[in-house]
Amino acid sequence: MIEITGNFWDYIKDYDALVCTTNCVISKSNKLVMGKSLALDFRNRFPGIDALFAKDILNHPNNFFCSIHWWFSRTDMKHLIAFPTKTHYKYNSNLGLIENSLQKLVEWTNVSKVEKVLMVRPGCSNGRLDWETQVKPLCLRYLDDRFTVINNE
């Protein structure tokens, strides 16, 4: 795992996959609730991503991790990945859910042959978990040097 500090969006051109930390709440209009932080940024930058993530979650209720292909330009395709850290947006993030999401992310990258993945510190912003004592040890257990974790400023 590589750690950097900066603005997530300043680095996206260098990565094959972008991870969006989320909750697991689907609205009445069948959209993933993406109302704060990086999830809100994803929703604003990629119109309709909330509906696509929700559709995948509803189609795979026991597997909340999903990947969506999204074209930035004619030659540059990125994988956009929903990475649940909490069951409901009102609650703190859950280490068990983060560990499950880490396992599925690593499995997916192994199968898809994705080489460079960018993600924020999962569960450490609105999820209210501590990076050094709670989340980083989990990330170190699963993530190799294909994964860059950014301390998003």
Side-chain angles (χ1 to χ4, degrees):
M1 173 181 78
I2 300 165
E3 288 187 77
I4 62 174
T5 299
N7 182 306
F8 182 89
W9 301 107
D10 291 343
Y11 291 88
I12 63 171
K13 67 179 176 13
D14 300 325
Y15 292 86
D16 307 314
L18 308 176
V19 175
C20 178
T21 50
T22 69
N23 61 72
C24 299
V25 177
I26 307 296
S27 70
K28 290 179 182 175
S29 59
N30 286 331
K31 295 179 180 180
L32 182 64
V33 175
M34 301 174 73
K36 287 189 176 182
S37 296
L38 188 65
L40 178 60
D41 289 347
F42 264 78
R43 192 185 80 198
N44 291 336
R45 283 179 180 260
F46 308 107
I49 194 70
D50 49 355
L52 292 172
F53 280 158
K55 181 180 177 186
D56 203 51
I57 289 169
L58 291 169
N59 289 335
H60 304 95
N62 296 320
N63 182 6
F64 290 122
F65 172 83
C66 60
S67 170
I68 305 289
H69 299 279
W70 198 277
W71 291 91
F72 285 116
S73 69
R74 287 182 168 176
T75 59
D76 188 22
M77 186 178 74
K78 304 285 185 194
H79 298 276
L80 303 183
I81 301 167
F83 185 102
T85 68
K86 54 172 73 175
T87 55
H88 196 284
Y89 57 83
K90 293 180 181 178
Y91 306 138
N92 290 349
S93 290
N94 177 291
L95 287 172
L97 184 55
I98 290 172
E99 184 168 19
N100 184 58
S101 294
L102 285 167
Q103 290 170 343
K104 290 179 178 171
L105 177 62
V106 170
E107 289 169 11
W108 177 82
T109 55
N110 290 339
V111 169
S112 65
K113 308 270 193 265
V114 168
E115 294 295 321
K116 293 185 78 180
V117 179
L118 181 64
M119 60 192 295
V120 295
R121 294 174 169 183
C124 294
S125 178
N126 288 322
R128 298 178 192 89
L129 296 178
D130 182 71
W131 170 247
E132 289 296 328
T133 62
Q134 295 177 290
V135 181
K136 185 176 180 177
L138 275 178
C139 289
L140 287 171
R141 186 179 315 155
Y142 292 99
L143 303 180
D144 59 29
D145 63 0
R146 294 175 296 171
F147 299 89
T148 299
V149 178
I150 190 166
N151 181 10
N152 203 19
E153 293 183 324

